[in-house]
Structure formats: C-alpha cells, structure tokens
Amino acid sequence: MTYPWHLYLMAALYVLAGNFHLFIPGAYVRIMPKSLPNPKLLVLLSGWAEILLGIALCFPATKNTAIYGILLMLVVYMPIHFHMLSNKEAAAGIPQWLLVLRIPLQLGLAYWAYRYLGV
C-alpha cells in the first residue's frame, strides 16, 4: 500500500529525531528533570522508540500501532517541555517564546499523526 508523501515525511522526521537522541544524547539529558532516574538511558531508549515508530509508520501492519505509540510518546514528553519552561538550566538558553511555542507544536504533531489512523 502506498501512503501519502506527508506520512513518509512524518516517518522520516521521527527517524531523524531519534538519531539525534542517539548521537547527541547530552543535549537531551540536559533538559531532563533531575527527578527521573538514569536520564541518559531514558534519552537513548526514547531515541530508539522514535526510530522504530518512524519506521513502523511505513508499513500497513504496524502503521496504526505506531501512531498510537507516537501519540503516547508526545504525551509522555509534554512534562519535559513544561520543565524546560520552569527551569532556566533545562531551558538551555532557548528563548522563552520558543519554549512556549513548542507546546502547541506538540499538539500539532499529535493531530498530524492522529489524522492517519485508519487510512
């Protein structure tokens, strides 16, 4: 089955994002709340999850499961975005307005994924 090009774009973006987690984990460890155990392991696992979910989007047998996984992942990541808003060190020098903009961006990514359920 052939999907629209924008589904493949979304898949590629998740694979790319996952690779960033694997190859520059320090950038992501820095933004993790200190209360989470073993932040580096969590960053690496989330990177692999993004890669696997991105790949799974491309196959009819796994597409819907991947979409649910992406939606769950976006919900799980949301507290990290709020943590960055409330913690200057975690914000890593990113302007406040950009951190605020990431919240609706997450919602937009969730909507983008949700649109492909059942397609």
Side-chain angles (χ1 to χ4, degrees):
M1 172 176 230
T2 302
Y3 293 121
W5 65 269
H6 31 87
L7 177 71
Y8 294 111
L9 173 64
M10 181 170 58
L13 290 174
Y14 281 106
V15 170
L16 180 65
N19 276 289
F20 282 131
H21 282 74
L22 299 181
F23 292 108
I24 52 169
Y28 296 93
V29 169
R30 179 176 60 219
I31 67 174
M32 298 285 280
K34 301 288 187 226
S35 59
L36 293 176
N38 202 343
K40 185 170 184 181
L41 176 63
L42 292 175
V43 167
L44 295 175
L45 290 174
S46 65
W48 280 112
E50 287 187 1
I51 291 168
L52 293 174
L53 291 170
I55 292 169
L57 280 174
C58 300
F59 300 98
T62 55
K63 180 185 66 67
N64 284 346
T65 302
I67 290 169
Y68 286 119
I70 287 169
L71 293 172
L72 178 63
M73 184 178 61
L74 292 170
V75 169
V76 168
Y77 288 179
M78 192 63 77
I80 293 170
H81 297 298
F82 285 109
H83 173 68
M84 290 180 73
L85 274 169
S86 63
N87 183 301
K88 189 172 184 157
E89 180 184 340
I94 299 170
Q96 189 82 7
W97 67 269
L98 194 54
L99 294 173
V100 169
L101 188 63
R102 289 176 68 195
I103 306 299
L105 175 65
Q106 290 290 106
L107 298 174
L109 289 171
Y111 177 72
W112 187 16
Y114 178 78
R115 289 185 51 218
Y116 295 111
L117 278 174
V119 172

